[in-house]
C-alpha cells in the first residue's frame, strides 16, 4: 500500500519512505502530517530489500527515510543530485551506507541514537537466559517428548565481561548487576564513577575480558576502528563453558573467527546479528547446536520503534528547515 500527502504540490520537496517494517507503519503513518506541513510525502508500507525497486520508489526524492536498506554506491550515484538527505532508522548507518562516498556526493546522513538501549540490553540478557536456563528449547521438547530432563546453569555469581560501555553496555551492566553477576568492563573512555557504583572491575584490555569472564558481550558501534576488533585469538581465550553474546554488530568479529571457535563445541553463543543479513540458509551457524540465534530483533520493541520514528522525523524537519539533527 502507498500512503501519500500533498502530492499535487510539486513546488514542495519530496520525502519518500521506500519500505518499512510492518510494525513501524503505525508510528510512521502518525508522523506524516507533521512532515506534510513542509513537503510532499510518499510512504510505501511494505518491506522490500530489492534495490531496483528501492531505486524506482526513490526516483525524484529529496529525502529518503529508510530502515534496513543497504545502499550500494551505484544506487547513491543514481539517486543524486535529486536526493539530498537520508535518514536511517538505527544507529549503525555505516553498515548500510558508505558514509565517505555519501558525503562526497553531498548527502546529509542522519541516524537515531539511544532509542533502543533498554530493548537491546534486555534481549542480550534474554539470550543469556535461554542458553543457561533453556526455557524455549525445553518448552519445545516438553511438548514433543513429554518430560525431558535437563540441567540448567545459574547466572548469579558468573562474571559478565563487557566490551564497550555506551548506552547499551551500561544498561546491560545494570541488568547483570541486578542478577547478581560480577562485572568486568573494557572501554576506551570508561566512566570510572559508574563502574564503581556497579562494583565493576576495569579490564586492562580486550584480552583481559575474554580470559577472565564467563560471559562476554560486545557493545561497540561499527566503524573503521572497531571492524574485526574481536579476533580468533580473543575467542581462543574463552574457557570451556563460556558464553559469547552479540547484539551489536556481527562485523565486530573477524570473519569466520566465531564459527571456527564454535566448532570446538566447548562454548556457547547467543547471536542477534549476522553478516550478511538475512542469515543465508547454508550459513554454518545454523548447524551449530551450541548457539541461540534470533533474526536481528533486539531493537524492535514498541518504545524503540516510536523513538526511531520520532528522531527521524525530527531530522527530516530540521533538514527541510535548513538545519540539522542527528547528522552522522
Amino acid at each position: 500500500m502507498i500512503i501519500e500527502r500533498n502530492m499535487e504540490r510539486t513546488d514542495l520537496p519530496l520525502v519518500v519512505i521506500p519500505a518499512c517494517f510492518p510494525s513501524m507503519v503505525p508510528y510512521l503513518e502518525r508522523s506524516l502530517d507533521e512532515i506534510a506541513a513542509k513537503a510532499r510525502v510518499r510512504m510505501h508500507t511494505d518491506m522490500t530489500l530489492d534495490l531496483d525497486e528501492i531505486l524506482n520508489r526513490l526516483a525524484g526524492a529529496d529525502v529518503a527515510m529508510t530502515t534496513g536498506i543497504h545502499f550500494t554506491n551505484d544506487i547513491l550515484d543514481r539517486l543524486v543530485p535529486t536526493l539530498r538527505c537520508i535518514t536511517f532508522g538505527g544507529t549503525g548507518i555505516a553498515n548500510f551506507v558508505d558514509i565517505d562516498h555519501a558525503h562526497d556526493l553531498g548527502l546529509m546522513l542522519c541516524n537515531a541514537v539511544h532509542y533502543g538501549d533498554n530493548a537491546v540490553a534486555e534481549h542480550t540478557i534474554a539470550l543469556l537466559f535461554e542458553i543457561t536456563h533453556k526455557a524455549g528449547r525445553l518448552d519445545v521438547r516438553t511438548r514433543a517428548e513429554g518430560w525431558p530432563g535437563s540441567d540448567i546453569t545459574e547466572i548469579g555469581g558468573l562474571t559478565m565481561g563487557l566490551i564497550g560501555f555506551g548506552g547499551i553496555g551500561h544498561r546491560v551492566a545494570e541488568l547483570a548487576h541486578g542478577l547478581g553477576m560480577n562485572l568486568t568492563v573494557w572501554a576506551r573512555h570508561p566512566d570510572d564513577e559508574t563502574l564503581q557504583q556497579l562494583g565493576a572491575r576495569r579490564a586492562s584490555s580486550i584480552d583481559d575480558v575474554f580470559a577472565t569472564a564467563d560471559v562476554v558481550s560486545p557493545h561497540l558501534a561499527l566503524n573503521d576502528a572497531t571492524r574485526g576488533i574481536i579476533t580468533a585469538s580473543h575467542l581462543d581465550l574463552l574457557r570451556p563453558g563460556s558464553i559469547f553474546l552479540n547484539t551489536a554488530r556481527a562485523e565486530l568479529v573477524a570473519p569466520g573467527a566465531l564459527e571456527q571457535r564454535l566448532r570446538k563445541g566447548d562454548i556457547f553463543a547467543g547471536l542477534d546479528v549476522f553478516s550478511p543479513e538475512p542469515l543465508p540458509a547454508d550459513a554454518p551457524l545454523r548447524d551449530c547446536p551450541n548457539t541461540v540465534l534470533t533474526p536481528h530483533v533486539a531493537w524492535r520493541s514498541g518504545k524503540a520503534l516510536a523513538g526511531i520514528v520520532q528522531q527521524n522525523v525530527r531530522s527530516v524537519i530540521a533538514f527541510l528547515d535548513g538545519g540539522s539533527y542527528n547528522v552522522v
Side-chain angles (χ1 to χ4, degrees):
M1 184 171 71
I2 300 175
I3 302 173
E4 296 179 327
R5 300 282 192 278
N6 282 349
M7 292 308 294
E8 73 284 356
R9 291 286 308 276
T10 55
D11 57 309
L12 295 175
L14 175 61
V15 176
V16 176
I17 303 168
C20 62
F21 294 105
S23 50
M24 291 186 82
V25 170
Y27 300 101
L28 285 164
E29 189 170 3
R30 286 195 291 267
S31 73
L32 295 186
D33 288 339
E34 184 178 357
I35 301 172
K38 299 176 181 293
R40 294 173 289 156
V41 186
R42 179 186 299 124
M43 172 180 168
H44 296 265
T45 62
D46 64 324
M47 186 62 202
T48 178
L49 297 177
D50 181 83
L51 289 183
D52 288 334
E53 181 62 22
I54 294 297
L55 186 65
N56 289 333
R57 293 181 180 189
L58 286 175
D62 298 272
V63 180
M65 297 180 67
T66 72
T67 301
I69 296 171
H70 291 263
F71 286 91
T72 65
N73 287 348
D74 177 62
I75 292 292
L76 293 180
D77 291 341
R78 294 166 69 182
L79 290 171
V80 171
T82 303
L83 189 67
R84 295 179 292 144
C85 176
I86 297 175
T87 70
F88 175 69
T91 302
I93 193 170
N95 211 37
F96 295 84
V97 180
D98 182 333
I99 293 176
D100 290 337
H101 187 71
H103 286 166
D104 288 343
L105 293 173
L107 284 167
M108 179 182 288
L109 302 178
C110 307
N111 65 357
V113 297
H114 298 302
Y115 59 90
D117 288 358
N118 186 68
V120 176
E122 286 188 3
H123 196 81
T124 302
I125 299 299
L127 290 171
L128 175 58
F129 266 114
E130 181 57 31
I131 291 171
T132 56
H133 287 256
K134 313 172 189 174
R137 296 190 181 192
L138 286 173
D139 171 69
V140 173
R141 289 184 58 197
T142 300
R143 295 173 190 276
E145 302 173 21
W147 202 254
S150 179
D151 296 332
I152 62 172
T153 300
E154 292 188 31
I155 291 171
L158 297 181
T159 296
M160 169 72 83
L162 298 173
I163 301 170
F165 202 58
I168 296 173
H170 184 188
R171 183 60 181 145
V172 172
E174 290 178 332
L175 295 173
H177 178 69
L179 291 167
M181 299 185 76
N182 304 308
L183 294 169
T184 293
V185 177
W186 177 88
R188 286 193 173 90
H189 306 289
D191 182 344
D192 289 327
E193 182 178 348
T194 301
L195 293 180
Q196 186 175 5
Q197 291 172 353
L198 292 171
R201 181 178 74 87
R202 180 176 174 180
S204 60
S205 64
I206 295 179
D207 287 41
D208 183 6
V209 175
F210 275 92
T212 61
D214 302 295
V215 183
V216 176
S217 188
H219 296 284
L220 298 168
L222 180 65
N223 51 49
D224 289 341
T226 62
R227 188 180 299 273
I229 194 171
I230 296 171
T231 67
S233 296
H234 291 128
L235 293 165
D236 282 342
L237 293 172
L238 290 171
R239 294 164 295 179
S242 297
I243 298 168
F244 179 76
L245 306 173
N246 194 353
T247 56
R249 282 289 183 263
E251 292 85 354
L252 296 174
V253 183
L258 181 58
E259 290 86 344
Q260 176 183 324
R261 182 66 181 86
L262 285 168
R263 287 190 199 103
K264 296 182 180 179
D266 63 345
I267 69 164
F268 303 89
L271 309 172
D272 186 55
V273 290
F274 308 91
S275 180
E277 292 181 353
L279 185 64
D282 60 350
L285 284 171
R286 290 185 180 272
D287 296 323
C288 288
N290 47 337
T291 59
V292 173
L293 312 178
T294 56
H296 204 155
V297 297
W299 60 280
R300 288 177 63 176
S301 73
K303 288 182 180 179
L305 292 171
I308 289 171
V309 171
Q310 183 181 46
Q311 291 186 48
N312 280 181
V313 170
R314 185 172 174 183
S315 293
V316 170
I317 297 299
F319 171 79
L320 295 173
D321 285 340
S324 63
Y325 178 73
N326 276 1
V327 172
V328 178

